[in-house]
Amino acid sequence: MTPIYQTSTYWQASPGQHKGFEYSRGTNPTRKALEDCLAALENAKYGLAFSSGMGATDAVMKLLAPGDEVITGNDLYGGSYRMFARIFANYGIKFHFIDFSKPENLIQHINEHTKLVWIETPTNPTMQIIDIEAVAAITKEKNVILAVDNTFASPYLQNPIDLGADIVMHSVTKYLGGHSDVVMGALMLNDEKLYERLWFIYNACGATPGPMDSFLVLRGIKTLHLRMKAHCENGHQIARFLKSHPKIDKIYWPGFEDHPNHDIAKKQMRDFGGMLSFSVKGAGLEETFKTASRFRVFSLAESLGGVESLINHPATMTHASIPREIREEAGVTDNLLRLSVGVEDIEDLIKDLEQALG
Ligand SMILES: Cc1ncc(COP(=O)(O)O)c(C=O)c1O
């Protein structure tokens, strides 16, 4: 097993003459083993681990300068929206939040200031699928960096770099860690110059994770394929159960043939994952809260991607930082609940849904 190098600094034979490790904010052997592993999972040359998914996103945004413009989706993780709209917008960076259901929509928003396109697919929490290959064809032609938040799919289901993306971002906290015991982020990429710029930001700004967390994620990754298979199998069964339930209004899961982006999901993903959302027919906020609180096997909590099933109320939890009109337009209504389907026995999960939905 990779040792946990609980080491902040390293011996030097003479000033500057070291064995590849100098100071752990920049390099640590346990973290380096993890970064090589993360890069391999996304078929990338380089991996960089950060102390959270937001730390990784922050580093990408620091590639930009005042006056630059970013085009991103209108259905994003709430924390990403908050960072773009409330932090980087104040530093003179302009964000366009657009609908990516037709990738060609992108073209009309690109101008000479556009430096970055940032997409998330499947989107959180309405499970829309963006055609990465089609978006990458446009960004390549216009010489704009394409970054893809691949958290929901995990590298087991989707590899954006193979589809033309320049940077893949993960909240490692989720499927890669897999056990809800670590907060971490990562960037994976192929371009050496871009890697050097990101490594400079990583070391200069210092949002890098410690060796114990790196070890835990290395251990989690050993079972990524086993866990993802179980997440997907349980996801299929729960989606079908909810589809036939009389209390369910809309259900968002890309595995259904009538999902608007099913064909793209089939083309770019190997399965449909363990994330799905549904709305409770005619329920207001109070009734939706009551439903969410009745679950016993699903835990009501933020986050996703761990072996234990979670239920979440996006409007007041993960997406609370998005103004109501914007989130409702994206389908994040008060009666929407999101499931992160875990790897437990499917009968226990279905029974829990039956008793909670009534
Ligand atoms: C899609 C997505 N991206 C990014 C993040 C942020 O990651 P972290 O919580 O590790 O900072 C999350 C967290 O929920 C997420 O769901």
Side-chain angles (χ1 to χ4, degrees), residues 52-54 77 120 124 149 151-152 169 171 173-174 184 304:
S52 69
M54 294 324 294
Y77 166 58
E120 193 179 299
N124 179 1
D149 181 340
T151 300
F152 262 40
M169 177 267 165
S171 168
T173 316
K174 313 295 171 4
M184 193 188 285
L304 61 110

Side-chain angles (χ1 to χ4, degrees), residues 2-22:
T2 310
I4 303 165
Y5 284 88
Q6 199 69 51
T7 310
S8 66
T9 192
Y10 305 83
W11 174 80
Q12 306 188 13
S14 67
Q17 226 192 324
H18 54 77
K19 296 179 176 174
F21 298 94
E22 204 171 351

Side-chain angles (χ1 to χ4, degrees), residues 162-184:
D162 293 348
L163 299 168
D166 301 294
I167 302 174
V168 174
M169 177 267 165
H170 277 278
S171 168
V172 174
T173 316
K174 313 295 171 4
Y175 287 110
L176 286 164
H179 298 79
S180 307
D181 50 11
V182 173
V183 172
M184 193 188 285

